[in-house]
Amino acid sequence: MSISNFETILFEQKDEVGIITINREKKLNALSEQVLGELTQLLEEIKDSNKDWGLKGLILTGAGEKAFIAGADIKEMTEMDLETAKKFGKLGQDLTLSIENMPIPVIAAVNGFALGGGCEMAMSCDFIYATEASIFGQPEVKLGLIPGFGGTQRLARIVGRNRAKEFIFTGENITAQRAYEMGLVTKLFTNKEELMAAAMKTINKMAKNSPMAIYHSKMAVNKGVDIEVEKGLDSELNYFASSFATEDMKEGTLAFIEKRSPNFTGK
Ligand code: CAA
């Protein structure tokens, strides 16, 4: 496997799992323009090369024990005007879309502060695992800003409109336990080691299933969650029917009938 050299992110493959680490520990992994650009490029490289690499899922995490991502880089933002802010916002938004639409599952492994753009990056993953000591927040209004990497849209869809407004308008941080109760986090762990081991285990569990079926169900959920049920059902129907044209579906159903484990190829 060969990937570009990055300065602000790390990438590591462990068997069928890719681990992406935001690597600006001294700045609590704040999202500078460089981080956003490098992450965008890495995801493109993974999409282009995954036929050879065979990754079944990705984990997004932050370097060190203190922060997942403490938000967009505030220092860089102080230099921006309306036009450059729009470009920066678009770069961040497009990155969240790229994470959301990755053809393989992406788990956010939150290990500490997930604030502002950090909470937004986590929300663009398929689901969020976190350590108990993690802190979540959309503190942008405290800076005279609003969430700009998808927070106003995804938070309401995940936790409901009113909770999202309370969260964003107060700018208050919440504990991982509260985030879990709100449905923002799906599982909690005592430390980073356990967190990473659990995320790996979940991807390995998913890896036993049909990659095509996971991809189709991911797209059906992503597209269906924002539209009226009838249109969502149409979209589901198309993805459901498409499954029947895959080798994975033939293999999975045949293996059931033959009482054996399926051998999925992702075709
Ligand atoms: N941007 C740039 N630098 C940041 C940063 C950020 N979002 N968060 C932390 N840092 C830097 C600090 O400036 C500090 O750098 P120096 O050592 O060079 O001074 C270093 O990281 C360590 O941070 P602290 O000394 O502040 O650490 P702490 O333990 O005292 O506090 C914290 C931790 C509560 C997370 C605090 O750092 C903090 O409040 N950070 C900002 C959080 C925030 O407001 N995030 C939202 C940003 S706006 C946004 O994200 C917009 C969007 O939607 C796209």
Side-chain angles (χ1 to χ4, degrees), residues 26-28 30 66 70 72-74 116-117 120 139-140 143 147-149:
K26 287 195 176 134
K27 297 290 176 190
L28 304 188
K66 198 169 164 185
D73 192 306
I74 299 172
E120 293 171 298
E140 286 89 345
L143 298 164
F149 295 167

Side-chain angles (χ1 to χ4, degrees), residues 75-88:
K75 191 154 179 258
E76 279 190 4
M77 285 192 294
T78 58
E79 316 276 318
M80 292 177 192
D81 59 17
L82 200 143
E83 203 179 309
T84 45
K86 214 164 192 180
K87 275 192 195 144
F88 183 64

Side-chain angles (χ1 to χ4, degrees), residues 69-210:
I69 299 168
D73 192 306
I74 299 172
K75 191 154 179 258
E76 279 190 4
M77 285 192 294
T78 58
E79 316 276 318
M80 292 177 192
D81 59 17
L82 200 143
E83 203 179 309
T84 45
K86 214 164 192 180
K87 275 192 195 144
F88 183 64
K90 185 83 171 80
L91 185 62
Q93 282 191 349
D94 286 350
L95 174 58
T96 62
L97 277 175
S98 178
I99 295 172
E100 197 164 68
N101 293 322
M102 280 303 280
I104 52 177
V106 187
I107 301 179
V110 172
N111 54 310
F113 291 110
L115 302 177
C119 189
E120 293 171 298
M121 284 298 144
M123 287 192 289
S124 66
C125 296
D126 291 304
F127 44 89
I128 304 173
Y129 285 0
T131 55
E132 285 161 2
S134 292
I135 299 285
F136 291 79
Q138 294 289 164
E140 286 89 345
V141 292
K142 295 190 170 176
L143 298 164
L145 283 168
I146 74 162
F149 295 167
T152 62
Q153 302 307 303
R154 291 194 181 90
L155 188 61
R157 285 164 167 86
I158 296 170
V159 304
R161 191 193 73 152
N162 293 10
R163 280 203 184 110
K165 285 184 180 173
E166 186 185 22
F167 197 58
I168 293 170
F169 296 176
T170 62
E172 271 171 10
N173 292 343
I174 59 166
T175 61
Q177 178 62 33
R178 180 78 190 112
Y180 173 74
E181 286 159 11
M182 285 163 73
L184 183 57
V185 168
T186 61
K187 280 191 183 131
L188 289 175
F189 303 91
T190 49
N191 55 48
K192 190 173 177 186
E193 220 177 11
E194 272 189 25
L195 167 77
M196 295 304 287
M200 295 273 300
K201 199 171 160 195
T202 298
I203 292 178
N204 287 328
K205 195 186 271 183
M206 294 190 285
K208 294 196 175 70
N209 301 327
S210 157

